[in-house]
Amino acid sequence: MHKTLIAAAITATFALSACSTTNQESNQAAMVQTQNPFMQASTLQYQAPDFTLIKDEHFAPALNQGIAEHDKEVIAIANNSAAPTFDNTIVALEKSGELLNRTSKVFYNLTGSNSNPTLRQVQGEMAPKMAAHSDNINLNPALFTRIETLYNNRADLGLTAEQDRLVDVYYQRFVRAGAKLTESQKTKIRSLNEEQSTLTNEFAQRLMRLSKEIAVVVDSKEQLAGLSDSAIRAAAKDAADNGHEGKYQLNITNTTRQPVLAQLENRILREQVWQASANRGLSGENETASLVARLAQLRAERAELLGFESWADYRLAPQMAKTPEAVYKMFGSMVPAVVANTNKEAADIQAMITRTGGDFELAPWDWAYYAELVRKDKYDLDASAIRPYFEFDRVLEDGVFFTLKALYGVSLTPRPDLPVYHPDVKAYEMFDEDGTSLAIFYADYFSREGKRGGAWMSSFVTQSELLNNKPVVVNVMNIKKAPEGEPTFVSYDEVTTMFHEMGHGTHGMFSKVMYPTLSGTSVSRDFVEFPSTFEEDWAAHPEVLANYAKHYETGEAIPQELLEKLLKSRSFNQGFDTLEYMSAALLDLEWHSLKAGEPLQDVASFEAAALKKHAVDLPAVPPRYKSTYFAHAFPGGYSASYYAYMWSEILAADAFAYVQTQGGLNREIGMKFRKTIREVGNTVAPMDAYKAFRGQEPTTDALLKRRGLN
């Protein structure tokens, strides 16, 4: 008789002490299953997770049972004696794995946004199991034979355009996973996949531990000159919360550049903060350098097995870029102008250092601080004067939500009745203009222990007409929350990130496709950032700004003169911003252009050589991410794909410029963008979707203008 993994595990446990299975033991096993909220679909609207019921101990048994059930379903599909059809193979696969999908969506969202030691332990245990499960599906020869048969005969199957695309996506996915390899090659690739899964999980966990380990503790308030009173109080609270009562703690975000460096007057402390950021992961118990070297090596081995020269070649083949050479060419064409612009900025900053009495050469920890002085001098802009006009709630509701309504006709209504996984998280329901409910949205914007660095969008439930699923989406950021009772202010960079992530969010929430595999953001890496980057530029649109940039106390609009200074100042430091991004993207590509058989690389030496090769090795402008904390490229899903932000920005800038010729902020052009880009998911090839909106392929003209580099 078939036994679930949970029942089998419980039976085995009792057998150790009793040597037999009793009715009481069976009843206890059944009780565990019925008490686990993942064993049935959530009864909340759109199957939103019921966080009042979910406990840490529910994940492991539900994930294990989910894998077992999915394995059984896939084997039944693969071994079906009936000839393969779209319904009995592709649709059957789309409907399979319900328990595993439901559980893993919640689990992996929480391990990124609200982790703890228990979840991290489960994550480590599940990593090789999930990798093996994926291989069991992708390397199943009987299943691939069915998919290949459908692929080869798809012209005669009477498929819709969406169905035809789905068959193609399945076929390419299986081939790229190794379905056509020999048995010995499949054994090898399974081993590589398991190691990669284990190492990426370990990388992510070490990064999370490092963020706490490298926080800078400051003894006196005087050392924090330049920080606002609110920021100092927050630093005092963070120190007290971590056992440093009477001191101040400066937390380190997951980028080389640290926001606090723009305010701190104390140069020694600035250097201490920067060094903590830039040198993390090179040594110590939580070093990640060895993981970087091995991940690059094993990915090269995997690419060779699959018939590619490098991991970069493998990853880019199905993308819009197609080849690493195309990306190198894109960056190479921009490097001279970007470096020249950056050198001009550096000269201005060095002059400011001298002018203000400094007798030292510009260093990385000086750039942000003196850049703000230059910005203030050039544009007569006082950052402290701007701050009161960017209060978090107003930016979200009167900026981000206002824009969604103006362009796409949707509104978001708070849903305090829906349970959340942390008190800082807020739930909303999205409604269309005609009152139709579209989605559930969770806003998780504030930093905390247990949340990885950065900003992202994810889904608890993916939209699918086949499964009758409406989307349940979350946006996550790491904004520093003000002390209790005080307003939280955001920088203009954080404002644009809020718009950006909502661009991803609406890509998921507006999705209107049949099959989950093609839903929402399931598009190529160098297209997925296009709708989100497009959304960023609305933050600076005059009508949008006028609606949210208001004084937090008086409600008065930001003075026009101050606003104009802010917008003009945005062109300053674009050389730095672009160069630090490009340097990181080039590092990512160089690591993943290594060939199989090359030895493990020394991280510091490899980085230096890669940056020099592309003439982006300016000492004062290090990469946005160094290899040892490059979460996108190593533990994350952007290996050999960090370039995608720039590639997508070309599309976004071109599209936004086009929209301005069509009247700017208006419903007609917004709905066209919604229908041709956001609703279609991956049912349409990316460039075809873009041309359906724009009418032609993009040029780089608008990108250069957007970044002030033309």
Side-chain angles (χ1 to χ4, degrees):
M1 174 175 146
H2 173 71
K3 230 181 239 184
T4 66
L5 282 186
I6 294 175
I10 291 176
T11 300
T13 301
F14 277 91
L16 290 174
S17 57
C19 299
S20 64
T21 303
T22 66
N23 288 337
Q24 181 183 3
E25 292 158 1
S26 297
N27 290 338
Q28 286 175 310
M31 189 185 306
V32 169
Q33 180 170 340
T34 57
Q35 289 178 347
N36 191 318
F38 290 114
M39 296 305 168
Q40 300 85 29
S42 169
T43 59
L44 297 179
Q45 186 176 349
Y46 305 153
Q47 299 182 46
D50 191 342
F51 293 107
T52 63
L53 302 177
I54 296 169
K55 294 180 171 49
D56 290 348
E57 59 265 29
H58 293 142
F59 286 109
L63 288 167
N64 282 313
Q65 182 160 327
I67 289 174
E69 290 183 6
H70 197 203
D71 274 339
K72 185 178 179 181
E73 291 168 335
V74 170
I75 290 170
I77 296 167
N79 296 340
N80 188 344
S81 59
T85 66
F86 181 81
D87 284 341
N88 71 18
T89 303
I90 303 299
V91 172
L93 286 169
E94 290 290 277
K95 290 181 175 179
S96 68
E98 182 182 349
L99 172 59
L100 181 60
N101 184 60
R102 178 167 59 240
T103 309
S104 61
K105 287 278 192 181
V106 179
F107 178 68
Y108 289 110
N109 271 301
L110 294 191
T111 56
S113 62
N114 204 42
S115 189
N116 59 50
T118 300
L119 292 183
R120 289 193 284 274
Q121 181 179 348
V122 174
Q123 190 175 9
E125 293 168 355
M126 292 307 304
K129 293 182 182 180
M130 293 292 278
H133 175 59
S134 179
D135 285 338
N136 287 341
I137 297 171
N138 294 327
L139 303 179
N140 184 313
L143 182 59
F144 179 65
T145 296
R146 297 181 72 85
I147 292 170
E148 187 174 36
T149 299
L150 293 172
Y151 176 79
N152 290 335
N153 296 290
R154 64 193 187 283
D156 303 320
L157 299 178
L159 302 177
T160 66
E162 184 174 344
Q163 290 170 338
D164 183 78
R165 179 139 180 101
L166 184 61
V167 171
D168 181 68
V169 167
Y170 262 97
Y171 176 76
Q172 299 300 337
R173 177 194 294 173
F174 272 71
V175 170
R176 288 175 57 75
K180 289 191 170 185
L181 298 179
T182 65
E183 287 307 310
S184 62
Q185 289 173 323
K186 287 181 180 179
T187 299
K188 175 64 174 175
I189 211 162
R190 282 177 180 272
S191 174
L192 293 174
N193 289 346
E194 180 178 349
E195 184 180 1
Q196 174 170 280
S197 177
T198 299
L199 292 183
T200 53
N201 175 67
E202 180 62 20
F203 200 126
Q205 297 208 21
R206 289 188 189 184
L207 273 188
M208 197 169 286
R209 292 195 292 268
L210 272 172
S211 66
K212 186 174 183 179
E213 178 183 299
I214 64 176
V216 176
V217 178
V218 180
D219 292 329
S220 70
K221 182 178 178 180
E222 288 69 30
Q223 292 175 275
L224 301 178
L227 296 189
S228 67
D229 290 341
S230 176
I232 292 172
R233 286 193 293 272
K237 182 180 184 302
D238 287 340
D241 289 346
N242 287 280
H244 306 293
E245 192 71 45
K247 297 185 178 183
Y248 306 86
Q249 180 170 305
L250 301 178
N251 297 319
I252 305 298
T253 61
N254 198 50
T255 52
T256 305
R257 185 193 344 183
Q258 297 298 304
V260 73
L261 295 180
Q263 288 89 44
L264 284 174
E265 297 174 8
N266 187 318
R267 189 171 190 248
I268 294 174
L269 182 55
R270 288 203 308 268
E271 180 178 2
Q272 187 181 355
V273 170
W274 188 87
Q275 295 288 4
S277 172
N279 295 324
R280 79 187 91 171
L282 288 172
S283 60
E285 183 181 355
N286 289 310
E287 63 83 19
T288 54
S290 62
L291 304 183
V292 169
R294 178 55 185 152
L295 280 167
Q297 190 179 62
L298 70 86
R299 285 169 177 168
E301 293 173 19
R302 187 171 185 267
E304 183 182 53
L305 269 177
L306 294 167
F308 291 86
E309 288 191 15
S310 70
W311 184 253
D313 286 286
Y314 167 78
R315 287 281 284 170
L316 269 64
Q319 307 297 314
M320 295 183 77
K322 300 301 182 187
T323 66
E325 289 70 29
V327 179
Y328 283 129
K329 183 178 179 181
M330 175 187 73
F331 284 130
S333 68
M334 297 178 66
V335 164
V338 172
V339 169
N341 196 302
T342 308
N343 282 331
K344 288 179 184 175
E345 293 169 359
D348 287 342
I349 291 172
Q350 187 66 60
M352 179 59 73
I353 291 173
T354 303
R355 180 175 150 192
T356 54
D359 185 23
F360 51 85
E361 187 175 342
L362 170 64
W365 47 89
D366 299 315
W367 190 291
Y369 179 76
Y370 285 97
E372 286 307 306
L373 295 183
V374 173
R375 194 193 305 270
K376 183 177 180 179
D377 183 60
K378 269 180 173 278
Y379 303 99
D380 190 25
L381 184 67
D382 183 357
S384 63
I386 295 171
R387 191 166 169 268
Y389 294 95
F390 294 107
E391 189 272 325
F392 168 78
D393 287 322
R394 195 182 291 276
V395 171
L396 180 64
E397 294 169 12
D398 296 342
V400 178
F401 292 177
F402 167 80
T403 306
L404 296 185
K405 188 170 185 63
L407 284 173
Y408 313 118
V410 298
S411 57
L412 287 105
T413 301
R415 286 290 306 273
D417 57 305
L418 287 175
V420 293
Y421 54 88
H422 188 276
D424 283 343
V425 180
K426 290 186 177 181
Y428 297 83
E429 184 173 359
M430 177 180 277
F431 292 94
D432 214 339
E433 192 168 26
D434 63 1
T436 302
S437 176
L438 295 174
I440 298 297
F441 172 71
Y442 293 92
D444 182 3
Y445 287 108
F446 301 119
S447 61
R448 58 177 169 271
E449 187 174 337
K451 180 187 280 190
R452 65 179 172 86
W456 65 94
M457 165 268 183
S458 190
S459 298
F460 288 112
V461 179
T462 300
Q463 182 272 332
S464 166
E465 292 175 1
L466 175 72
L467 304 180
N468 197 30
N469 283 348
K470 288 201 174 184
V472 180
V473 165
V474 59
N475 273 179
V476 186
M477 284 182 62
N478 274 277
I479 294 169
K480 182 71 175 177
K481 190 178 182 182
E484 191 68 32
E486 298 183 31
T488 295
F489 299 109
V490 290
S491 68
Y492 190 74
D493 283 341
E494 288 171 328
V495 171
T496 58
T497 302
M498 290 169 70
F499 276 81
H500 178 100
E501 294 307 330
M502 185 56 80
H504 284 307
T506 49
H507 201 176
M509 290 188 283
F510 287 158
S511 181
K512 201 173 181 180
V513 308
M514 178 65 68
Y515 304 102
T517 289
L518 303 177
S519 177
T521 57
S522 301
V523 296
S524 66
R525 286 290 185 194
D526 51 11
F527 190 77
V528 75
E529 296 297 335
F530 156 46
S532 53
T533 305
F534 169 85
E535 205 71 19
E536 280 182 35
D537 283 353
W538 292 111
H541 189 277
E543 189 177 341
V544 177
L545 262 169
N547 204 62
Y548 74 83
K550 297 179 180 179
H551 196 280
Y552 78 104
E553 288 181 320
T554 67
E556 293 180 2
I558 187 170
Q560 188 62 31
E561 183 182 2
L562 185 59
L563 177 58
E564 288 175 1
K565 289 177 182 178
L566 169 64
L567 296 179
K568 286 180 181 178
S569 74
R570 293 289 294 164
S571 63
F572 178 73
N573 220 39
Q574 279 297 307
F576 177 96
D577 289 343
T578 306
L579 186 60
E580 68 157 9
Y581 160 76
M582 288 173 59
S583 299
L586 287 164
L587 264 185
D588 170 38
L589 274 177
E590 286 293 335
W591 274 115
H592 293 109
S593 293
L594 289 170
K595 305 294 190 293
E598 295 192 51
L600 292 169
Q601 303 293 310
D602 175 77
V603 169
S605 300
F606 185 89
E607 283 186 348
L611 297 176
K612 184 176 182 179
K613 173 183 175 181
H614 295 283
V616 293
D617 53 335
L618 275 65
V621 189
R624 183 172 297 173
Y625 301 99
K626 291 191 175 184
S627 306
T628 51
Y629 48 95
F630 205 161
H632 287 78
F634 291 101
Y638 276 71
S639 58
S641 300
Y642 192 60
Y643 79 91
Y645 288 93
M646 183 69 78
W647 193 279
S648 295
E649 190 179 351
I650 293 172
L651 302 174
D654 187 73
F656 193 81
Y658 165 69
V659 165
Q660 304 321 302
T661 69
Q662 305 300 304
L665 188 74
N666 67 82
R667 187 71 49 77
E668 182 178 356
I669 195 64
M671 291 304 291
K672 183 180 181 184
F673 191 80
R674 173 177 166 179
K675 291 183 180 300
T676 56
I677 303 296
R678 297 192 190 278
E679 290 185 358
V680 300
N682 194 25
T683 62
V684 180
M687 188 55 76
D688 290 342
Y690 186 81
K691 288 191 291 187
F693 170 69
R694 177 69 174 86
Q696 64 182 53
E697 293 190 7
T699 70
T700 59
D701 297 345
L703 170 69
L704 295 174
K705 184 177 180 181
R706 183 179 194 265
R707 286 187 169 252
L709 300 173
N710 59 350

